[in-house]
Amino acid sequence: MIVWISFIVLVTIFLGLDLFVFNRNAHVISTKEASKFTALWVGIALAFTAVIYFIYDAGYLANPDQLSGADAALKYLTGYLIELSLSIDNIFVIAVIFKSFSISTKYQHRVLFWGIVGALVFRALMILFGIALINEISWMTYIFGGFLLYTAYSMLSSKEEEFDPKTSKIYKFAKKLFPVTDRIEGQQLFIKKMGKRIATPLFLALVVIEITDILFALDSIPAILAITKDPFLVFSSNILAIMGLRSMYFFLSNLLDKFQYIHYSLVAILAFVGLKMLFVHYIHLPEWISLVVIFVSLLVGALFSIYYPATPQEKEKQKESLNTEK
């Protein structure tokens, strides 16, 4: 438990520094600042690979799969890259939500901070539940694999409809629970008016983002369970990928138009992981193959985006497709 507690304390310290030191005052996060924090979070996550190696090599953690330090480090790194790559679609949906609720860039970081805190809790519960299901019911691996293949197919064939968070059932249900104001009162999620607590658009955007992240987790968590069922590897790789999502959002949100074919890279990654889960009892692939598939898929998508840019009409269709896949 010392390893688990130490990791959770470390994450809590990082969150505290982020909220109360680096971003204490609401401000517009520039691309330069976002790139620095993105590099920092990715650097921390990659450096944690060495920590994973040390923990498992020294036997400081329960190791039901009897993983060596090198195997554990490779599985952690593969899981982290899968989570990070699947977050790209999430970034675009978050941008649409902020635009729909007219949340200025100045206040977006605060909403994302609390969204990340909620995501940490929900994902921890979903990871534990998913691992328990697979351990107790072996054929759940096939269910997860089939679900990932279905998701990949849905991403390819999604209908072109405009996504508007304000028409979602989540938004309408939230408005029934408490009074809502259309005015943004600084970075406050709630305000008091005539003795009543009233939710601001920032809180409504937070609710929609939180539920959206849970929907995305339905894809990403089965994907990482195809790599390993070790609880600490799944939890740490997932959490560190989510921790870097905020800075990556500010870094990539303005660049997504330039990498329009990355969407198909994610389809390829999900399809590969889904097939891997379906044939897990028949074909055993070395972990480095998963790393190669992830890297090559993202590289091909990026190169196609650079050398074969889509027309404005095609870009608009791809945006609408991304909006509707969830």
Side-chain angles (χ1 to χ4, degrees):
M1 291 301 294
I2 292 178
V3 174
W4 281 91
I5 293 171
S6 299
F7 180 76
I8 293 172
V9 169
L10 184 66
V11 169
T12 303
I13 292 174
F14 284 153
L15 288 172
L17 288 173
D18 192 309
L19 181 63
F20 299 110
V21 179
F22 300 119
N23 295 283
R24 184 174 183 178
N25 299 316
H27 65 284
V28 176
I29 297 179
S30 64
T31 302
K32 183 178 180 181
E33 180 182 355
S35 63
K36 289 181 179 179
F37 276 98
T38 299
L40 174 64
W41 284 116
V42 173
I44 290 173
L46 294 179
F48 199 72
T49 305
V51 177
I52 291 292
Y53 177 89
F54 174 74
I55 290 173
Y56 281 80
D57 190 60
Y60 289 135
L61 193 68
N63 189 359
D65 295 332
Q66 299 298 311
L67 298 173
S68 66
D71 288 339
L74 191 58
K75 287 180 180 294
Y76 161 81
L77 185 60
T78 305
Y80 171 74
L81 291 178
I82 284 179
E83 293 299 318
L84 202 62
S85 59
L86 293 180
S87 296
I88 295 176
D89 270 3
N90 204 355
I91 288 173
F92 183 79
V93 174
I94 289 173
V96 173
I97 293 171
F98 279 142
K99 182 178 180 181
S100 176
F101 287 99
S102 302
I103 309 297
S104 66
T105 308
K106 185 177 182 180
Y107 304 122
Q108 289 177 6
H109 184 276
R110 183 57 60 96
V111 176
L112 284 177
F113 174 85
W114 292 113
I116 295 302
V117 172
L120 297 181
V121 176
F122 285 119
R123 291 206 176 205
L125 294 174
M126 294 175 72
I127 288 169
L128 293 175
F129 183 67
I131 292 175
L133 273 179
I134 289 180
N135 287 336
E136 294 296 327
I137 311 174
S138 59
W139 50 262
M140 280 302 300
T141 302
Y142 303 124
I143 300 296
F144 285 161
F147 178 73
L148 291 178
L149 287 178
Y150 171 76
T151 302
Y153 171 77
S154 298
M155 290 173 69
L156 273 179
S157 60
S158 54
K159 296 180 180 179
E160 299 171 4
E161 300 174 0
E162 187 63 29
F163 172 63
D164 183 5
K166 289 187 175 181
T167 64
S168 66
K169 294 181 180 179
I170 303 167
Y171 173 77
K172 294 176 181 178
F173 180 70
K175 291 192 70 173
K176 292 179 180 179
L177 293 180
F178 34 71
V180 176
T181 177
D182 292 331
R183 293 181 58 187
I184 294 178
E185 304 285 346
Q187 55 184 352
Q188 298 183 66
L189 301 179
F190 288 91
I191 60 171
K192 279 192 175 182
K193 193 173 183 180
M194 299 179 65
K196 295 182 178 180
R197 282 177 72 86
I198 302 176
T200 68
L202 269 68
F203 179 76
L204 293 178
L206 172 61
V207 172
V208 177
I209 287 175
E210 204 68 72
I211 302 300
T212 301
D213 179 76
I214 292 175
L215 296 177
F216 273 98
L218 294 177
D219 298 338
S220 64
I221 289 177
I224 196 173
L225 289 177
I227 304 301
T228 177
K229 296 187 288 294
D230 184 286
F232 187 73
L233 294 180
V234 176
F235 182 72
S236 58
S237 59
N238 205 285
I239 296 308
L240 288 176
I242 291 297
M243 292 285 286
L245 181 60
R246 290 159 302 155
S247 55
M248 189 172 292
Y249 163 77
F250 292 106
F251 177 66
L252 291 179
S253 59
N254 295 325
L255 299 177
L256 289 179
D257 285 345
K258 298 180 181 179
F259 294 97
Q260 65 275 8
Y261 292 115
I262 288 291
H263 178 67
Y264 299 105
S265 300
L266 304 183
V267 172
I269 292 172
L270 280 177
F272 169 76
V273 175
L275 289 172
K276 185 177 180 181
M277 294 194 84
L278 286 178
F279 295 100
V280 66
H281 296 128
Y282 308 100
I283 301 175
H284 299 281
L285 298 176
E287 222 55 64
W288 62 267
I289 291 182
S290 299
L291 276 175
V292 170
V293 169
I294 296 169
F295 178 77
V296 170
S297 298
L298 293 175
L299 180 63
V300 170
L303 290 177
F304 262 84
S305 300
I306 294 172
Y307 292 105
Y308 301 97
T311 64
Q313 293 79 9
E314 290 172 335
K315 288 182 179 180
E316 188 62 29
K317 288 181 179 180
Q318 288 168 359
K319 282 184 180 181
E320 292 170 353
S321 176
L322 280 173
N323 288 339
T324 57
E325 71 187 43
K326 293 298 175 185

